[in-house]
């Protein structure tokens, strides 16, 4: 049975415009973010000493990194990747092809806003996830490492169900 590592989410958010064709996240930044992702959960240890000594020696936990946002633009009722989306996803593909991430697999979750019927949106979200997956595979990512699913208008990113930010793809690390 597969568990979804929700602590390490790559949210591919959609915006209506892009400022430039330069990727927001470089492949090396993505590699560094996900490197060590197999070490889920807080570290545990035993402290030998008095309660006060143990409390004073306790290190502050680092801030939990929960997501990397990449601005990807899907048009309304579209699963086509534009030039900027291809640039962003190209950096992600480079990161996934890096040896340091070779053991990680991802699920690509497609979402929509509430503009269509629930049944239609499920299909559109699946097409969006497939579009991203196909692009990653065409850039050398092994198909066995990525799985596309469509989740329609569930789990909106923005409380306004019609907001373009809800038209997105999220990639989550799959763990055994």
């Amino acid at each position: 049975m597969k568990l979804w590592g929700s602590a390490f989410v790559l949210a591919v958010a959609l915006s209506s415009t892009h400022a430039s064709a330069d990727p927001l996240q470089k492949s090396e930044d993505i590699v560094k973010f996900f490197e060590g992702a197999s070490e889920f959960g807080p570290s545990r240890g035993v402290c030998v000493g008095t309660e006060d000594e143990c409390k004073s020696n306790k290190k502050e936990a680092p801030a939990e990194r929960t997501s990397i946002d990449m601005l990807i633009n899907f048009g309304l009722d579209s699963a086509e990747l534009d030039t900027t989306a291809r640039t962003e996803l190209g950096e992600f593909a480079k990161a996934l092809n890096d040896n340091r991430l070779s053991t990680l697999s991802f699920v690509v979750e497609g979402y929509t806003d509430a503009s269509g019927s629930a049944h239609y949106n499920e299909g559109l979200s699946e097409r969006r996830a497939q579009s991203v997956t196909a692009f990653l595979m065409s850039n050398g990512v092994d198909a066995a490492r990525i799985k596309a699913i469509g989740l329609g208008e569930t789990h909106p990113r923005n409380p306004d169900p019609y907001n373009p930010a809800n038209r997105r793809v999220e990639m989550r690390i799959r763990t055994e």
Side-chain angles (χ1 to χ4, degrees):
M1 182 173 164
K2 304 251 181 198
L3 298 174
W4 307 103
S6 61
F8 297 93
V9 175
L10 177 62
V12 182
L14 307 176
S15 71
S16 58
T17 61
H18 293 287
S20 70
D22 291 336
L24 294 175
Q25 296 292 331
K26 299 290 186 189
S27 61
E28 184 62 24
D29 298 331
I30 296 166
V31 168
K32 286 178 182 176
F33 179 83
F34 286 113
E35 202 172 27
S38 60
E39 301 169 10
F40 292 128
S43 60
R44 290 180 170 74
V46 176
C47 178
V48 178
T50 67
E51 185 177 350
D52 288 336
E53 288 173 333
C54 290
K55 284 182 182 177
S56 68
N57 290 336
K58 187 176 182 179
K59 294 180 182 175
E60 290 295 318
E64 186 174 327
R65 298 171 299 169
T66 58
S67 68
I68 295 176
D69 288 337
M70 300 171 72
L71 298 177
I72 306 294
N73 187 19
F74 284 110
L76 181 64
D77 193 31
S78 174
E80 296 294 319
L81 297 172
D82 66 13
T83 303
T84 304
R86 290 175 184 278
T87 301
E88 295 289 330
L89 290 171
E91 290 295 314
F92 188 66
K94 283 182 201 173
L96 289 184
N97 287 324
D98 188 289
N99 286 336
R100 294 171 286 177
L101 300 186
S102 65
T103 62
L104 298 179
S105 295
F106 290 80
V107 61
V108 179
E109 299 174 340
Y111 296 92
T112 67
D113 63 16
S115 296
S117 70
H119 177 73
Y120 181 80
N121 285 341
E122 285 179 29
L124 178 58
S125 65
E126 177 72 26
R127 289 189 302 277
R128 287 178 175 164
Q130 289 289 347
S131 179
V132 168
T133 300
F135 181 85
L136 293 173
M137 289 187 312
S138 73
N139 281 272
V141 178
D142 182 5
R145 294 182 57 208
I146 47 179
K147 177 184 176 183
I149 61 172
L151 297 170
E153 57 193 76
T154 63
H155 310 295
R157 185 178 179 117
N158 186 289
D160 174 1
Y162 298 98
N163 190 295
N166 295 329
R167 299 190 303 258
R168 69 192 190 281
V169 172
E170 293 183 5
M171 290 172 240
R172 300 182 188 277
I173 292 178
R174 289 191 304 189
T175 59
E176 301 288 328

